[in-house]
Amino acid sequence: MVPLLSSSSRPAHAEADAECHWAALDMLATLVAVVRSDARLLFVNAALEGVLGHSRQTLRGQSLATFFAEPYTLVQAIHNASTNQFATQRYETQLLRPGADPLPVHVVVAQSENAEQVVIELLQLETQSRHDREDRLVSQSLANKELVRNLAHEIKNPLGGLRGAAQLLEMELDDAALREYTQVIIHEADRLQALVDRLLAPHRSAPELAEVNIHEVCERVRSLVLVEFPLGLKIERDYDISIPEFRGDRERLIQSVLNLVQNAAHALEQRIMAGDAVIRLRTRVLRQITLGKRRYKLALELLVIDNGPGVPAAMQDQVFYPLVTGKAGGTGLGLTLAQSYVQQHQGLIECESVPGRTVFRVLIPLE
Ligand SMILES: Nc1ncnc2c1ncn2[C@@H]1O[C@H](COP(=O)(O)OP(=O)(O)OP(=O)(O)O)[C@@H](O)[C@H]1O
Ligand SMILES: [Mg+2]
């Protein structure tokens, strides 16, 4: 039963009254529709309006079943609910969206207190698994942050002493051949120091916020990478130029996107030699999305897509961990750093990869 939907005893005002009750449904991230027993729409909440791409005024009176891959199943379920054969009924199907891919949903058809009204709740199946993945990424990165910070400090302190002692020792040595050994100590201590500095970089200072245009960020990265890889690599742009500016740290975002695009370019080594390496930078606006358990009206999505061999399957769950690398000279910090910087913008980076198509997806909330 859905108590939100108690009906009015005055038919003339019934719809207006009900509309007020339903307004609360606009706060939900789940997609909700209220229909009559013949499946015609009385109300859709804001989340469902967003997914269907029509306003509730346009949708009112239309049959909800026309938006479903199996319309008859829905009509039957609504009939069953309104004739009291079931209080609730659940099944999985696909929601057909004009101009977009079908959306896999879990449908819950429930009676309301008014026998004439049936409530349909749609849970996005991919969202559920995305939430799980996001939760994992967020908690993983929190654990990373703590571990890395502590470890880096532990290494940093004795490192200074080690280097100083080697320098003192070097001054006492008469034999030049032995100085080679102290030089090794000093050189390696410097290398470790640089590594530790990179590990601590994202936690060192607060982001410097200013208005950022994501396409300026992309263009900057594009030109930097094309200077590094002038031959055999194409970087295509597919921008949605309507994306508004937002407050962010421009330099950190450039660094994040640069790390993603450089990784893609490195993975494309073979194709660059063959001359058919392509990286695509694609931007879009997403509406009504949930990120890190918070709901946002608007977010920006930036995809970095490459046609390289892909992230090895065994590594896919760990690419954002520090020091995880598949490259001979890699430090395995590029993605950790990119993820930290994007999370400082309340955003998230995800990865999906199969041979021939690797997508790193940056999501940043706008409002
Ligand atoms: N687009 C991609 N295609 C295939 N593998 C990738 C891609 N991006 C990342 N990887 C894999 O993920 C690993 C981790 O990347 P990450 O940027 O964190 O470290 P790195 O590139 O090895 O070193 P660095 O610290 O210099 O960036 C890479 O070594 C590579 O094996
Ligand atoms: Mg890298």
Side-chain angles (χ1 to χ4, degrees):
M1 287 288 175
V2 181
L4 265 177
L5 301 173
S6 63
S7 62
S8 163
S9 53
R10 292 160 295 156
H13 302 299
E15 270 192 15
D17 281 1
E19 186 94 347
C20 282
H21 288 295
W22 295 336
L25 297 174
D26 280 341
M27 318 276 282
L28 299 180
T30 6
L31 316 173
V32 184
V34 183
V35 296
R36 283 202 300 248
S37 53
D38 61 358
R40 298 209 173 271
L41 282 160
L42 288 165
F43 177 84
V44 302
N45 75 341
L48 186 53
E49 274 184 323
V51 167
L52 294 179
H54 291 295
S55 71
R56 63 186 61 139
Q57 284 77 14
T58 315
L59 291 167
R60 188 176 294 138
Q62 289 190 38
S63 169
L64 179 63
T66 57
F67 292 99
F68 280 79
E70 298 140 351
Y72 182 72
T73 315
L74 183 77
V75 169
Q76 191 62 47
I78 293 172
H79 175 76
N80 291 346
S82 65
T83 53
N84 229 349
Q85 298 181 41
F86 296 105
T88 57
Q89 205 173 332
R90 298 164 174 270
Y91 66 99
E92 275 163 25
T93 184
Q94 296 205 321
L95 184 66
L96 309 175
R97 297 178 293 174
D101 292 338
L103 187 71
V105 285
H106 181 93
V107 186
V108 185
V109 180
Q111 290 176 330
S112 76
E113 288 174 357
N114 182 338
E116 269 300 294
Q117 295 169 3
V118 175
V119 182
I120 319 287
E121 202 181 334
L122 307 172
L123 306 168
Q124 298 178 48
L125 292 177
E126 62 183 33
T127 313
Q128 195 49 50
S129 61
R130 219 192 82 208
H131 283 178
D132 295 347
R133 212 166 54 213
E134 268 176 19
D135 279 354
R136 259 206 326 273
L137 277 176
V138 169
S139 57
Q140 187 188 79
S141 120
L142 280 178
N144 278 351
K145 218 152 92 182
E146 274 308 296
L147 176 74
V148 163
R149 218 187 333 214
N150 294 339
L151 196 64
H153 279 297
E154 286 302 318
I155 295 173
K156 211 173 154 69
N157 295 337
L159 211 54
L162 212 65
R163 191 185 196 282
Q167 270 177 319
L168 287 175
L169 189 64
E170 192 170 84
M171 286 193 285
E172 299 296 320
L173 291 176
D174 299 327
D175 187 348
L178 289 178
R179 270 190 219 136
E180 232 176 81
Y181 298 118
T182 49
Q183 275 304 310
V184 169
I185 301 175
I186 293 169
H187 178 77
E188 290 298 301
D190 287 345
R191 203 172 63 83
L192 255 180
Q193 178 73 48
L195 179 77
V196 165
D197 285 343
R198 272 192 80 196
L199 276 168
L200 289 172
H203 316 298
R204 192 157 279 156
S205 60
E208 285 180 31
L209 299 181
E211 290 298 299
V212 180
N213 176 325
I214 192 64
H215 300 123
E216 257 175 48
V217 171
C218 292
E219 286 297 291
R220 182 75 200 289
V221 169
R222 184 172 182 272
S223 50
L224 286 171
V225 175
L226 283 177
V227 168
E228 204 182 329
F229 300 88
L231 292 174
L233 173 66
K234 260 209 306 202
I235 304 186
E236 296 177 351
R237 305 108 143 173
D238 175 3
Y239 296 159
D240 174 352
I241 49 158
S242 71
I243 296 176
E245 294 198 342
F246 60 98
R247 285 194 74 69
D249 185 321
R250 186 166 177 272
E251 291 307 315
R252 289 188 180 188
L253 290 173
I254 289 176
Q255 187 64 59
S256 303
V257 180
L258 183 63
N259 290 0
L260 299 181
V261 179
Q262 271 177 336
N263 278 348
H266 291 148
L268 285 167
E269 197 184 348
Q270 297 289 326
R271 283 196 182 265
I272 287 177
M273 283 197 283
D276 62 353
V278 184
I279 297 176
R280 202 141 60 85
L281 301 176
R282 189 187 125 134
T283 60
R284 290 292 182 270
V285 157
L286 300 181
R287 288 173 204 286
Q288 308 289 355
I289 76 154
T290 312
L291 264 176
K293 298 207 168 77
R294 268 193 64 185
R295 179 98 187 287
Y296 296 95
K297 267 199 250 163
L298 212 61
L300 94 79
E301 177 192 63
L302 163 64
L303 303 184
V304 178
I305 308 167
D306 72 67
N307 62 344
V311 182
M315 207 197 234
Q316 281 193 17
D317 277 347
Q318 288 136 35
V319 278
F320 293 104
Y321 277 134
L323 309 180
V324 168
T325 180
K327 296 177 204 164
T331 51
L333 287 181
L335 288 176
T336 313
L337 202 70
Q339 183 70 280
S340 300
Y341 283 159
V342 169
Q343 285 185 354
Q344 287 173 355
H345 293 78
Q346 287 71 51
L348 189 74
I349 308 180
E350 298 172 328
C351 165
E352 259 175 34
S353 178
V354 289
R357 183 180 159 90
T358 297
V359 184
F360 278 85
R361 181 170 187 248
V362 182
L363 293 167
I364 296 177
L366 297 175
E367 56 179 76

